[in-house]
Amino acid sequence: MTRVRALGAALQGAGTVFLLLALTFAAIAVVNPGFFEAPSVMAFLKQAAPLVVLAAGQYFVVVSGNFDLSVGALVGAQVVIAARLIDGVESRTVPVMLVMLAFGIGVGLVNGLITTVLKVQSFITTLGMLLVLYGAIRLWTGGAPTGDLSEAFRTPGRLGITGVPLIGQIPWALLIMLAVGAGAILLMRTRFGRILIASGDNELAARLSGARVDAVRTAAFVLSGISATIAGVLIGGFAGVSAQVGEGLEFTVITAVVLGGVALGGGRGTALAAMAGALAIEALFTLFNQMALPATLRPAVQGAIIIAAVAYAARRRLRPAPQPTAAPS
Amino acid sequence: MTDAPLLAMRGIGKAFLGVPVLAGVDLTVNRGEAHALVGENGAGKSTLMKILAGVHTADAGTIELDGRAASFAHPAAAQRAGIATVFQEFNLLPELTVAENIHLGREPRRRGRIDRRAMNDATAAALADLGFPDLAPTAAVGSLSVAHQQITEIAKALSQGADLICMDEPTAALADAEVALLYRLVERLRERGVAVLYVSHRLREIFDLCERITILKDGRLVDSVATADITPDELVTRMVGRRIEAQFPPPLPGTERGEVRLRIAGGGNDYVDGIDLEVRAGEIVGLAGLQGSGRTEIAEAVFGIAPFTRGTMAVDGRPVRITRPRKAIAAGIALVTEDRKAQGLALRQSVKANARMVLDANARVHSRARLARVDGILSSLDLVARGGDQEVQFLSGGNQQKVVVAKWLAAEPGVIVLDEPTRGIDVGAKHKLYSVIRSLAAEGLAVLLIASELIEVIGLADRIAVLHDGRIAGELPGGATEQEVMAYATGRREGTHQE
């Protein structure tokens, strides 16, 4: 009974995004009935996987009351680092992936500590980190990325399990996306997850309950750094190395999280809905492709979505008036 | 015309959200008179002052100034009529100088530019006239002491032609030496024919400074008397009066006073000092005192929010140094905070998430067994909610408070501090909390209870420590009269400490 009610509540809070997802798919079906063949659906999911993974990471940060604007630059940096360090040598793949993981964790840790210990607003901290990463990578590579990714490195983003009956190929990216998604959902059901969301809802109450608010918020940035690392592997594999990898991704992923009904400022929203928001955005872009709308329209659409979603959430929050307490005396 | 009083308020009534706060209150102040307005917390003093200041509009009654009917729809209207109010929060711009603040918006000009010399000279003259020639007109207000800011505020009011200056607890933020400055200032104002309406809890100041006293109680006028015709003890009695006894459940059978669970020796910090307090297992100790006397500050020190910087603390005989709430929780201390929405609850989370928050946040107190008991605790508090998944923001105040209490009980503390646990909640929830407090004592917890409703402390506590100015002014047994408590709270009587 309570399980059903909990699901109901979850859908009620974030129902809009699932509805939007369904409507977008329906529109795609109308425009291009052939889209819902297994190969093209799999291709869609493979392409959407990095954004979903990033949305999971961003969700932790946003729900705890912060932003992480550095993820796009981090994805770019990771791809460039990978190409430079691997330089086409297969045997370096795993060690370099570990270096990337350490780098992602390090960036998250720095973001988190600057935000919580130095009390710099995360918006500024991570904007600074974005610029630092962007500049450092260009300085290091002299403007154009050098080196090459290995075949093994590109496998997760590009290939999959082949020969599956009915479906054909199941992309590794899809499996990684599902694993990350399940991990995020499960993590939010732990004590850590509950304290994280409580810290975003009412920092003072969480602190006075003994919560280590700074520690969980820093951990959220680290999770975001890890998710950017995974997304970097997927995007690098899928699209290869270029100087533009990851650009603007931070805004796409924040749009996705907001579209999923996660409140900016923290305290409300589910990881599932945040990831559904990422799928919905990818679906919208796919729809635009199908309708042969120019890709240059994307930023404008993204901007409109983020404003509309936040305005909608603000209206919803205003409606149930809080209980009046005592009369002023 | 001259025999009409400066201010005559008659039959003033005011209600907020249908709750009457003032009814049929009269207040008359003559020219050059220092007039005290007294009453307990919630008696309606602030509301009456705000009506006079044009912040609130009265629902009933009339206001006359110099015999002419007046009404203030807006604070500016009251100011124009010659009524100035000095609230505890000053209305000054800290970056500007004394002279600039006093002349703000009315700066003397010469050839279209502000004439600084004229402004500073006028200010120096005005300050000298008030008896403060050494206060520099060019000093930035933010760099001044509270007392000097107060003088600036009053000089500003006078320069705007105020005939009546209302002061809300003017000495609350002043050091002892600064109080003397205020005394001087009030004398000076009276000599100039300016009336002072003095709102204060401090009886000594009232008897030192004021000629007449208007007493309010529960939003009604008790009396208006000449200071010469009343003694401080009589005043306290009339402020407190007789009240309908609230129903407090008796201690549960089997409640036994055990070992000392919380001991504070010589506790002090920036807000309180010389705090010696012991609470035994099974004992309810009440902390009474007026607003700003240090009640909440003691709770915050015990819980590590603003820790004691002096003295020692022990829980169950073990010395502890509580520097953060986490440490307090690990030591077995719980604090039900004063403001449940700001400090107690994550409003957008569910009842259950809030009730288990302390367990979730503290590995030291978390256990499966305790987690399993959370539901039972919620239902033992008679929580009315649609279910554990309901967001606490949609609960009534009383039920929200039950969730806060539940989250602390889940951690099974040995010492529980309750700061205003019944503020703003309905009668039913209040009585439930009273019996919960009794059963906590019966279970052997040490309970420290803070309430501004004296009757609650008197009705529930086994012992009452009364605070005045950050110190324990005296200790009384449970069931003491309100008069006795008020005598200590207002500084009339000192039991354990000298002034």
Side-chain angles (χ1 to χ4, degrees), chain A residues 194 201-202 209-210 266-267, chain B residues 326 348-349 356 360 362 407:
Chain A
R194 277 189 294 269
D201 188 344
N202 186 342
S209 299
Chain B
R326 261 182 95 74
R348 293 184 283 176
Q349 309 308 311
R356 56 181 291 179
D360 279 338
N362 299 277
K407 91 172 177 179

Side-chain angles (χ1 to χ4, degrees), chain B residues 119-257:
Chain B
M119 188 166 81
N120 288 337
D121 289 350
T123 305
L127 290 171
D129 193 34
L130 276 178
F132 300 95
D134 28 330
L135 181 53
T138 51
V141 160
S143 69
L144 299 178
S145 69
V146 178
H148 281 144
Q149 294 190 19
Q150 205 167 49
I151 291 160
T152 306
E153 181 94 307
I154 289 165
K156 180 176 160 187
L158 289 176
S159 81
Q160 293 168 356
D163 298 316
L164 171 65
I165 297 183
C166 309
M167 301 185 190
D168 186 12
E169 293 278 355
T171 55
L174 296 186
D176 288 351
E178 296 175 328
V179 173
L181 295 184
L182 185 79
Y183 274 39
R184 228 165 82 200
L185 184 62
V186 171
E187 284 306 318
R188 202 63 201 98
L189 291 174
R190 291 180 50 197
E191 286 167 25
R192 294 175 51 157
V194 176
V196 175
L197 183 63
Y198 198 90
V199 178
S200 180
H201 283 305
R202 304 191 180 193
L203 297 188
R204 238 187 72 194
E205 291 162 16
I206 292 167
F207 280 87
D208 284 349
L209 286 174
C210 300
E211 297 165 76
R212 286 205 307 139
I213 306 173
T214 292
I215 309 161
L216 296 185
K217 177 175 159 42
D218 295 337
R220 292 177 176 278
L221 177 70
V222 175
D223 204 351
S224 193
V225 294
T227 311
D229 297 341
I230 191 167
T231 67
D233 282 335
E234 284 166 4
L235 179 60
V236 168
T237 307
R238 303 196 68 179
M239 272 163 70
V240 174
R242 280 276 142 239
R243 236 190 281 189
I244 319 127
E245 283 293 311
Q247 286 303 303
F248 293 99
L252 295 179
T255 305
E256 278 175 24
R257 207 162 298 181

